[in-house]
Amino acid sequence: MFSKLWRSEMPGLFAEPLLILVAMGVGLGAYVTMEEGEKYVEFIAPGVVAAYAMFSASFECTYGSFVRMKFQKTYDAIITTPLNIEDVVAGEIFWGATRSFITACAVLAIAAAFGLVNSWWALLIPPLAVLAGLMFSSIAMLFTSLAPAIYTFNYYFTLIITPMFFFSGVFFPLSAFPTLVQHLSWIAPLTPVVNLMRSLISGQPGEGAWWGLAIVIGITVVFFALSLFTMRRRILK
Amino acid sequence: MPIIEVRNVVKRFGSIVAVAGIDLDVEEGECFGLLGPNGAGKTSLVRMIIATSPISQGSIRVDGKDVDKEPRRIKANIGVVPQEENLDIDLTVLQNLTTFARYFDIPKAEARERALANLQLFELSDRQQSKIDELSGGMKRRLLIARSLINQPKLLILDEPTVGLDPQTKHLVWQKLRSLKEQGVTLLLCTQNMEEAWHLCDRVAIMNEGKIIVLGGPQELLAIYGGRQILEASPGYEDKDYVLQKLREAGFEWQEVEETLYVFQGDDQVLDDSLRQKLGVRNERSPTLEDVFLRLTGRSLTE
């Protein structure tokens, strides 16, 4: 009823995952020794899908949402209709998840073109990307509802999103880190998504897949509810 | 039954009281004007009426429904024209209306039909494929009004609908608002423009410091508070105290706005010639609603 497509635009994000796969996977991969004939690019492909699902949702629900909320006053316009602020927030989060879905499909298609997808389980990647998109959109939305100014999102990306990109097992296994970092990494929401993606793309269930799924759902529920609450407080003064 | 019933409503922001206990009935089919200086509490009151701001105390019913309990049903039947333009710049003129219609659950075909009709009404038909950025200020304002009518509201709430418009557009807007009223739409108009209130409103309330200080028809208020005529005077600096003293003794009321003294001359009041000389009367004219406004809301800067 309310999840509105605000606009249709082709994300410029497609080019970047392709670059990463080529530069890191093929280029850097030539210097990386993997076990039993596995290629490095195969290792990072599922992580790149997960990471770009995260980026799409995060950009949409931080900068995108903030501009609509603060500069275009779109929220103010919509809440004068029968929709209330919770509908608007939910619509934003579902739209963020839609962006994750589109991006994940595109990256998956690129990976498949490289011959990196080995399992029919990979068909579950787009639905998983939606779930991950809901989670990252909800987290971003909470941040947006509290952000005093648009510059604040620099902190969000440099302190939260980028570290997750590097320390959630996208480019190397977590076992490469000291134990403390490994534990920290398990708190990062991207880690279970990367692990799940990896299981699906290879067709081999990794350790703790169900736990991973439960963590993703749990974080989503908590942040979704919180962002509804904080956005109501911000908009309905 | 009044379409808006405001009962003892208070709005607080922390320790600031924006609305300090208001009772108000707006009757169905009338054009009601809410006047008052900046910071008088008009916008706070209106935001509570349209259920986009929680009521600190008291209650508001719109069309018989409690705004706290049934905001969706209330909002389905009202239109809101905001002072700040909030059109969606990523959509065309037509899409702005059809997208908005979807929020009211109006079916697609019907939405398009209504959107086209509203664009025609506001003389925007030839701009339907334009981007919002390509529109002039006057066109945007007309589009905002066209958008607010997409759900065919019973009650239309307008915040400064003609501020910043050229005279032609202003008169176009006024004429459309009048014809809406003739069709039975209730109008609640927040304005600083006394001419607008005078031309459009059946009744006006003047607010100051969170309270309604007077309420009545524009003519009625003018008759009570406007006096017979207004003297615009600028007394010399050295004479000022003497002049004010004399005016006070003679029972005149006046309002001082910057350098100018507006003296309200009642029917039976006569100004003697020497005082008149000292006053330095520059102009004598009939009172307007603006004089009433100035007289009742005090000095030029209340903030």
Side-chain angles (χ1 to χ4, degrees), chain A residues 84-91 93 138 141-142 145 221-234:
Chain A
N84 58 30
I85 188 65
E86 285 82 3
D87 301 328
V88 177
V89 173
I93 289 172
S138 302
M141 216 49 208
L142 177 67
S145 69
V221 169
V222 170
F223 278 85
F224 194 103
L226 277 177
S227 67
L228 294 181
F229 174 76
T230 50
M231 195 56 96
R232 167 167 281 270
R233 213 185 46 179
R234 175 172 192 144

Side-chain angles (χ1 to χ4, degrees), chain A:
Chain A
M1 147 186 170
F2 46 73
S3 66
K4 273 283 145 227
L5 293 185
W6 307 89
R7 49 189 148 166
S8 51
E9 52 182 38
M10 287 303 287
L13 284 167
F14 292 172
E16 217 177 285
L18 180 63
L19 277 176
I20 295 264
L21 281 177
V22 172
M24 303 287 285
V26 182
L28 183 66
Y31 297 91
V32 178
T33 324
M34 301 290 292
E35 291 170 27
E36 43 200 87
E38 200 187 355
K39 280 188 285 181
Y40 182 58
V41 69
E42 281 176 0
F43 177 79
I44 65 167
V48 173
V49 177
Y52 279 87
M54 169 181 80
F55 281 127
S56 309
S58 302
F59 277 111
E60 190 57 44
C61 290
T62 52
Y63 291 105
S65 296
F66 196 81
V67 166
R68 288 189 282 273
M69 172 178 80
K70 188 100 179 177
F71 301 117
Q72 301 180 357
K73 309 264 174 212
T74 311
Y75 293 9
D76 292 335
I78 297 178
I79 60 172
T80 64
T81 73
L83 302 188
N84 58 30
I85 188 65
E86 285 82 3
D87 301 328
V88 177
V89 173
E92 290 278 53
I93 289 172
F94 282 115
W95 175 231
T98 310
R99 295 291 296 261
S100 293
F101 172 81
I102 297 169
T103 307
C105 289
V107 183
L108 189 61
I110 296 168
F114 276 82
L116 303 175
V117 181
N118 309 315
S119 163
W120 287 106
W121 285 104
L123 287 176
L124 286 178
I125 286 179
L128 177 62
V130 171
L131 191 58
L134 288 175
M135 174 175 71
F136 288 115
S137 299
S138 302
I139 298 170
M141 216 49 208
L142 177 67
F143 197 81
T144 300
S145 69
L146 301 171
I150 198 159
Y151 329 109
T152 327
F153 295 122
N154 293 344
Y155 292 103
Y156 185 69
F157 281 92
T158 42
L159 298 180
I160 298 174
I161 298 297
T162 310
M164 275 202 283
F165 184 47
F166 288 116
F167 296 102
S168 295
V170 175
F171 297 109
F172 29 78
L174 291 177
S175 54
F177 291 116
T179 330
L180 177 68
V181 181
Q182 283 191 38
H183 286 317
L184 281 176
S185 186
W186 269 104
I187 308 171
L190 183 59
T191 309
V193 181
V194 171
N195 290 337
L196 288 167
M197 290 282 182
R198 193 157 279 147
S199 307
L200 290 175
I201 225 165
S202 66
Q204 294 152 4
E207 277 176 62
W210 290 111
W211 272 112
L213 198 59
I215 290 171
V216 173
I217 293 171
I219 295 176
T220 307
V221 169
V222 170
F223 278 85
F224 194 103
L226 277 177
S227 67
L228 294 181
F229 174 76
T230 50
M231 195 56 96
R232 167 167 281 270
R233 213 185 46 179
R234 175 172 192 144
I235 299 293
L236 304 188
K237 286 184 289 284

Side-chain angles (χ1 to χ4, degrees), chain B residues 127-170:
Chain B
R127 303 309 295 257
Q128 51 176 283
Q129 297 307 328
S130 299
K131 288 279 178 199
I132 299 306
D133 287 342
E134 297 160 10
L135 303 183
S136 69
M139 289 177 186
K140 285 183 188 169
R141 188 54 59 109
R142 270 142 61 196
L143 183 57
L144 278 173
I145 303 176
R147 188 184 71 177
S148 74
L149 297 173
I150 201 77
N151 58 327
Q152 300 175 334
K154 280 176 81 169
L155 168 64
L156 185 62
I157 294 174
L158 306 106
D159 196 355
E160 304 283 351
T162 60
V163 75
L165 297 185
D166 61 43
Q168 290 88 336
T169 315
K170 188 171 74 184

